[in-house]
Amino acid sequence: MKIALLGYGKMGKTIEQIAIQRGHQIVLKVDKDDRDYDITKADVAIDFSIPSVAFSNISNCINNQIPVISGTTGWLEDYNKAVTLCKEKQGAFIYASNFSLGVNIFFELNKTLARMMSNLKQYKVSVEEIHHTQKLDAPSGTAITLANDIIKEHSNYKEWKLEESDKDAINITAKRIDDVPGTHAITYESEVDTITIEHVAHNRQGFALGAVVAAEWIMGKTGVFTMNDVLNIG
Ligand SMILES: NC(=O)C1=CN([C@@H]2O[C@H](COP(=O)(O)OP(=O)(O)OC[C@H]3O[C@@H](n4cnc5c(N)ncnc54)[C@H](OP(=O)(O)O)[C@@H]3O)[C@@H](O)[C@H]2O)C=CC1
Ligand SMILES: O=C(O)C1=N[C@H](C(=O)O)C[C@H](O)C1
């Protein structure tokens, strides 16, 4: 496949290595000051850029009939617009807050645990995420997915809050430490015990591989998909 990388930072560079190992070609690398690029040179685009440009990167691909995979977080207020545009133009689009296989399994564990805990009112849930100090958004996209999935499955919670102690909300704590690639933990705490499930990324390879696998999977398809479609889980 001929791949366009929209965003050539930590993730763009890791994706490049994995894509080449898997026999693909990088035909375009778009960074901050690149404006007039020709996206139609690519078979597929992979966007790991910054929150303020993700939606315009994605729209440009859809408007030019280029399938697009986006892992950029912090732009979800525009997600429904991207979905509508994709349907209108019969494009192909996948957004995931986290492309790693491990985290997508963790998402399923989180939903199952939330269903099991739903009737156990003595436990209070919280979410913690830890990332490197260059991260622009908080909470992480993955923490938002985890909290929203708990809200869907657990009858006690209707909203999440960042860095606040609210007994009726899911409290999310976001820590920024050195070069941490991404750690997420869900904790249920009662007077008598604590249950924690945790995912720790050791590096960025898992995110990057998942994004390349999603790009391979979407070729020839039209529609809006998720990583559950790609990995056939959930
Ligand atoms: N879904 C997932 O699995 C994962 C998602 N992410 C998310 O991916 C995004 C990128 O992460 P990461 O690579 O670590 O961040 P980086 O900051 O390392 O890379 C972002 C890159 O985007 C570039 N950029 C800035 N403006 C534009 C523009 N207009 N068009 C294209 N690119 C632009 C930046 O350039 P410059 O530095 O010159 O400003 C930078 O090179 C983040 O939102 C992060 O949360 C990260 C890991 C996994
Ligand atoms: O910015 C990062 O690095 C990461 N961002 C994603 C997120 O916001 O959830 C995924 C991963 O945790 C790394």
Side-chain angles (χ1 to χ4, degrees):
M1 291 182 314
K2 292 182 182 159
I3 299 178
L5 295 177
L6 306 180
Y8 191 59
K10 292 181 284 300
M11 280 303 296
K13 291 185 175 87
T14 313
I15 288 168
E16 177 179 39
Q17 284 170 7
I18 288 179
I20 290 170
Q21 279 163 20
R22 291 174 72 89
H24 305 303
Q25 214 186 326
I26 307 300
V27 292
L28 197 60
K29 296 173 195 171
V30 176
D31 236 332
K32 187 162 67 182
D33 297 323
D34 305 325
R35 298 255 179 282
D36 296 322
Y37 57 87
D38 179 11
I39 193 71
T40 63
K41 288 202 286 202
D43 299 320
V44 62
I46 304 183
D47 164 75
F48 279 79
S49 57
I50 57 172
S52 56
V53 302
F55 178 65
S56 81
N57 283 345
I58 293 162
S59 308
N60 184 37
C61 295
I62 295 173
N63 283 326
N64 283 288
Q65 296 294 318
I66 304 300
V68 56
I69 306 301
S70 177
T72 307
T73 53
W75 66 278
L76 278 194
E77 64 280 6
D78 288 328
Y79 177 77
N80 288 339
K81 282 200 268 173
V83 168
T84 305
L85 181 68
C86 185
K87 287 181 180 162
E88 246 175 57
K89 302 281 178 182
Q90 298 190 335
F93 169 51
I94 297 178
Y95 162 76
S97 60
N98 201 304
F99 278 92
S100 83
L101 174 62
V103 164
N104 280 278
I105 292 168
F106 188 66
F107 285 153
E108 295 307 309
L109 274 179
N110 173 52
K111 286 188 240 174
T112 302
L113 184 58
R115 269 196 295 279
M116 291 171 76
M117 301 305 282
S118 186
N119 291 322
L120 303 178
K121 309 298 180 205
Q122 63 271 46
Y123 287 93
K124 168 82 178 91
V125 73
S126 61
V127 176
E128 180 184 85
E129 58 101 333
I130 311 174
H131 284 87
H132 52 92
T133 49
Q134 303 104 60
K135 186 159 177 61
L136 295 180
D137 52 321
S140 67
T142 305
I144 294 173
T145 303
L146 289 164
N148 285 339
D149 285 347
I150 296 169
I151 289 166
K152 280 184 212 142
E153 302 293 344
H154 196 303
S155 54
N156 266 21
Y157 301 103
K158 305 274 174 282
E159 59 178 341
W160 57 261
K161 289 192 175 161
L162 177 62
E163 312 289 359
E164 270 185 51
S165 184
D166 179 334
K167 77 175 177 43
D168 296 322
I170 300 170
N171 296 315
I172 305 182
T173 307
K175 294 185 177 162
R176 297 290 171 259
I177 302 174
D178 301 336
D179 294 326
V180 174
T183 296
H184 292 90
I186 312 293
T187 298
Y188 288 84
E189 188 137 14
S190 77
E191 295 252 311
V192 298
D193 59 6
T194 300
I195 302 169
T196 298
I197 57 169
E198 184 182 53
H199 179 273
V200 181
H202 296 162
N203 50 49
R204 293 184 172 80
Q205 307 278 320
F207 311 136
L209 175 62
V212 175
V213 167
E216 291 166 352
W217 181 90
I218 208 169
M219 292 305 302
K221 297 186 173 68
T222 55
V224 177
F225 303 99
T226 68
M227 275 308 272
N228 279 7
D229 299 311
V230 177
L231 298 171
N232 207 10
I233 56 174

